[in-house]
Amino acid sequence: MDWLTRCVPEPETFFAGHWRKEPVVLRPDSPPVDVLTVAEVDRLLDAGTLATPYVQLVHEESVVAPERFCLPRVVLGEIVERYVDAGSVRRIVAEERATLLLRYVDQWHAGVRDLTDGLAERFARQVEAFYFLTPPGTQGRPVHRDDADILAVQIHGAKRWRVYGGPADGEWQPERAAGDLGAPLLETVLGEGEVLYVPRAFAHSAVAVGDTPSAHLSLTVREAGTAQLYALARALLLTGDEIAPRPNDDASLHTAASGLLAHFRATLAELTPGELVELARETMRTERPSPGRPLSDLIGTGPTRGA
């Protein structure tokens, strides 16, 4: 399955005209609205296995304390306080107009993981997923900038989006956007099955409109930053021939220093900026453990024994 075309109907046009340049509304023929429906979110809540920090309740300017919707549960004689209580979540959403935010859905939901893995392969970058279920007439988060390009897939209902320009330089932070942002570059009501692309660092906000809750899946395409470049360059420089950790005289200490510098020079001489960027992106993509062989394959089909 080509997950990219389920989000971006004309990839060549998108990458040539919109990627990292401007926001745009996309209308794919087969949008991935089925990967995590509102009905399935209800079933997941009732199953009782959702837990923090994968679940948050948020308002535009605040976060609901987890102890308000996570009731203590006894598991094997131990009190566990991080499991979400479905009744408390529904009450807070209904009475206080809080947004239900499911975080890093790709880490715990197989269908969403298939989607993000497929997109990650096409974008050659790490892709993560966040699910927002917002009551009508409310705004889940303030106007802010994200450290990622975003594909917002409208799953249910509708949201009014406003997208503003990007920062002037590389000194911005992924946080609330303060100051005069000017007029929006794009203002639109996103309907079910439509996809909004927001370039990295472009300020944006979304308000649920209509008479029903609004649900969207935010697919974040992460880019490497200087922190990843620093970390990878350091790892590459420290990989190589082993050098004695404690040289015991001046001569051996200088020999160790000479060998270390020679290794640094050789490593850097062979490394191009493009290669460092691509290695950083690949390292980010492989942070999550990859699926292995099924247990049934590993165990085999031996004689049946009682548990």
Side-chain angles (χ1 to χ4, degrees):
M1 179 182 297
D2 186 355
W3 286 108
L4 180 60
T5 56
R6 290 194 65 181
C7 298
V8 180
E10 297 179 356
E12 291 186 3
T13 300
F14 170 75
F15 284 112
H18 303 291
W19 174 251
R20 296 284 170 84
K21 298 182 181 74
E22 62 180 15
V24 64
V25 176
L26 305 165
R27 298 178 176 87
D29 292 333
S30 180
V33 296
D34 53 337
V35 294
L36 185 55
T37 64
V38 174
E40 185 177 358
V41 170
D42 267 323
R43 289 193 293 270
L44 288 168
L45 277 172
D46 289 332
T49 55
L50 288 178
T52 60
Y54 288 122
V55 179
Q56 277 190 329
L57 292 177
V58 300
H59 296 286
E60 180 180 351
E61 300 290 349
S62 62
V63 177
V64 178
E67 54 266 26
R68 293 193 56 207
F69 58 90
C70 294
L71 298 181
R73 181 185 301 182
V74 177
V75 181
L76 294 176
E78 179 183 353
I79 297 177
V80 183
E81 299 182 344
R82 67 186 190 91
Y83 285 102
V84 171
D85 175 67
S88 298
V89 168
R90 291 188 174 103
R91 177 182 56 78
I92 294 172
V93 169
E95 296 178 2
E96 302 179 24
R97 318 297 288 167
T99 289
L100 173 63
L101 169 56
L102 304 179
R103 307 170 72 223
Y104 302 99
V105 186
D106 53 292
Q107 294 184 7
W108 51 269
H109 187 280
V112 174
R113 183 185 303 122
D114 287 344
L115 168 58
T116 56
D117 284 353
L119 291 176
E121 184 176 349
R122 296 295 299 273
F123 280 101
R125 291 168 176 83
Q126 181 186 42
V127 180
E128 297 170 327
F130 300 80
Y131 190 97
F132 295 80
L133 180 60
T134 307
T138 61
Q139 179 172 324
R141 303 305 292 151
V143 182
H144 64 283
R145 304 183 190 275
D146 283 311
D147 195 9
D149 294 86
I150 297 171
L151 292 171
V153 182
Q154 190 66 30
I155 302 291
H156 180 80
K159 276 193 172 81
R160 180 181 300 279
W161 289 78
R162 291 182 176 90
V163 184
Y164 303 85
D169 53 40
E171 298 299 323
W172 62 279
Q173 295 293 326
E175 57 188 23
R176 178 173 178 165
D180 182 14
L181 298 174
L185 297 178
L186 183 149
E187 182 171 354
T188 186
V189 174
L190 206 65
E192 184 174 327
E194 294 183 318
V195 179
L196 174 66
Y197 168 65
V198 180
R200 180 179 182 231
F202 278 46
H204 58 278
S205 65
V207 179
V209 297
D211 299 326
T212 63
S214 171
H216 80 272
L217 186 65
S218 185
L219 302 166
T220 59
V221 185
R222 300 288 182 191
E223 183 58 281
T226 52
Q228 286 81 19
L229 298 179
Y230 275 130
L232 185 58
R234 181 176 182 273
L236 291 172
L237 291 175
L238 295 181
T239 300
D241 295 336
E242 291 294 330
I243 297 176
R246 298 177 184 85
N248 56 7
D249 56 40
D250 284 353
S252 58
L253 184 61
H254 281 79
T255 298
S258 176
L260 197 61
L261 290 173
H263 169 63
F264 288 173
R265 293 188 185 101
T267 301
L268 294 175
E270 296 175 356
L271 186 66
T272 68
E275 288 171 339
L276 183 61
V277 169
E278 291 305 314
L279 285 170
R281 289 171 176 166
E282 180 63 24
T283 300
M284 292 172 66
R285 285 180 57 195
T286 56
E287 285 178 353
R288 192 184 69 230
S290 58
R293 291 174 58 193
L295 281 173
S296 56
D297 289 352
L298 298 174
I299 296 170
T301 56
T304 303
R305 291 184 172 89

